[in-house]
Amino acid sequence: MTGKKHVVRAALTAAVLTAAAVGGVTSASAAQKPGGPTNRIVGGTVAHTADTPWAIQLSNSGSPDPTGEYCGSTLVAANKIVTAAHCTTEPASTYTAIQGRDVLSDTSTGKESKISNIWVDPQYGQQPGHDVAVLTLATPFDGVPTLPLETDKAADTTGAASVVYGWGDTEDTGPADTFQKVDVPVLGDDYCSDVYASEGYTADGEICAGYEDGGKDSCQGDSGGPLVLNGRLFGVVSWGVGCADAGNPGVYAEVATYAAELQQQIDS
Ligand code: ARG
């Protein structure tokens, strides 16, 4: 039952992105939350990829954003990035990974690579969670520091001080298409199991992070990007209802749950 609901949610996300791409004007987040205030990586601060070189923009030529801004990802080996499964619905040839570019319109900065292979968790869409994928870079980012995976599920503890990064939409709370970060403490599986019962939150494979009162959150365009704890890739931006709204925190794929299968792809 929850699995079915989860599939519906994933399909809606894809439909929203498609609609935004066709319309060319309506942003994905505005389309997703009709009538309400549109909040984006909300309540964050400008960050610098020089400090987090493993934070990679996964741009797409079909994005409605002129910079191609599409999803986040994390460099986990010179030629591998981890992102969200729901970020990988387009043909591999339409993606470009961008390293070291804080402001996406500033194309004179950073390195780029095309994507030569996409691996998606085979259970994604069949079961709740599993919103993870590993992409292979055609041109490895040699010499760029990578982020290790969190492998201990005990890291998902209420109050843990995790931080999320991304270029997602900012609207009123910061500059557009500019790298940002925001502190999002772990709220705990019990909280999201309660507020997201009908959306199919799964404690085994997802992390609930943010604030009961809202105000700070990841948002559309941040998907696939890193949730970092103790210098490890702790979570992958996955979903939420709206952004930064009270009672609707961010949901992240739990890397420790999928670490073995991710590592197998990273090493292959
Ligand atoms: N699904 C969104 C994306 O594709 C990420 C949503 C995160 N939402 C949240 N409230 N934290 O970019």
Side-chain angles (χ1 to χ4, degrees):
M1 194 57 188
T2 51
K4 190 177 180 192
K5 286 172 184 166
H6 187 82
V7 172
V8 170
R9 195 246 327 137
L12 283 174
T13 303
V16 165
L17 289 172
T18 304
V22 170
V25 176
T26 309
S27 74
S29 57
Q32 185 149 351
K33 197 163 175 288
T38 311
N39 294 315
R40 327 278 184 109
I41 233 187
V42 180
T45 56
V46 169
H48 303 285
T49 56
D51 300 327
T52 60
W54 31 259
I56 306 293
Q57 162 61 212
L58 182 63
S59 69
N60 189 274
S61 57
S63 168
D65 188 308
T67 68
E69 186 268 326
Y70 187 75
C71 271
S73 66
T74 305
L75 191 72
V76 291
N79 68 335
K80 301 282 183 180
I81 56 175
V82 169
T83 190
H86 83 263
C87 288
T88 65
T89 54
E90 305 301 321
S93 63
T94 62
Y95 290 98
T96 302
I98 304 172
Q99 193 277 328
R101 186 175 298 163
D102 292 358
V103 178
L104 295 182
S105 57
D106 187 0
T107 54
S108 66
T109 62
K111 303 177 184 183
E112 297 187 359
S113 172
K114 299 303 289 180
I115 300 300
S116 60
N117 191 61
I118 296 177
W119 175 88
V120 182
D121 184 313
Q123 316 244 54
Y124 177 69
Q126 323 274 311
Q127 292 186 37
H130 293 275
D131 193 7
V132 289
V134 177
L135 277 52
T136 303
L137 303 176
T139 309
F141 292 141
D142 287 319
V144 175
T146 58
L147 198 64
L149 305 184
E150 178 60 71
T151 58
D152 185 359
K153 293 182 72 171
D156 186 7
T157 304
T158 302
S162 51
V163 182
V164 63
Y165 296 86
W167 290 260
D169 307 324
T170 61
E171 206 167 67
D172 298 336
T173 64
D177 302 320
T178 298
F179 191 55
Q180 300 231 308
K181 66 177 177 182
V182 66
D183 294 331
V184 282
V186 173
L187 266 174
D189 287 327
D190 289 350
Y191 187 80
C192 274
S193 297
D194 181 16
V195 299
Y196 287 146
S198 58
E199 284 81 10
Y201 179 84
T202 179
D204 178 28
E206 291 182 323
I207 296 164
C208 178
Y211 302 84
E212 291 190 27
D213 293 342
K216 297 182 183 183
D217 196 6
S218 51
C219 197
Q220 270 58 46
D222 291 320
S223 276
L227 178 70
V228 178
L229 178 66
N230 295 326
R232 291 185 280 275
L233 181 60
F234 175 49
V236 175
V237 179
S238 183
W239 61 278
V241 171
C243 298
D245 295 334
N248 292 328
V251 177
Y252 300 80
E254 187 172 358
V255 168
T257 304
Y258 309 111
E261 62 180 61
L262 292 172
Q263 196 61 53
Q264 193 181 337
Q265 294 304 319
I266 293 163
D267 295 339
S268 73

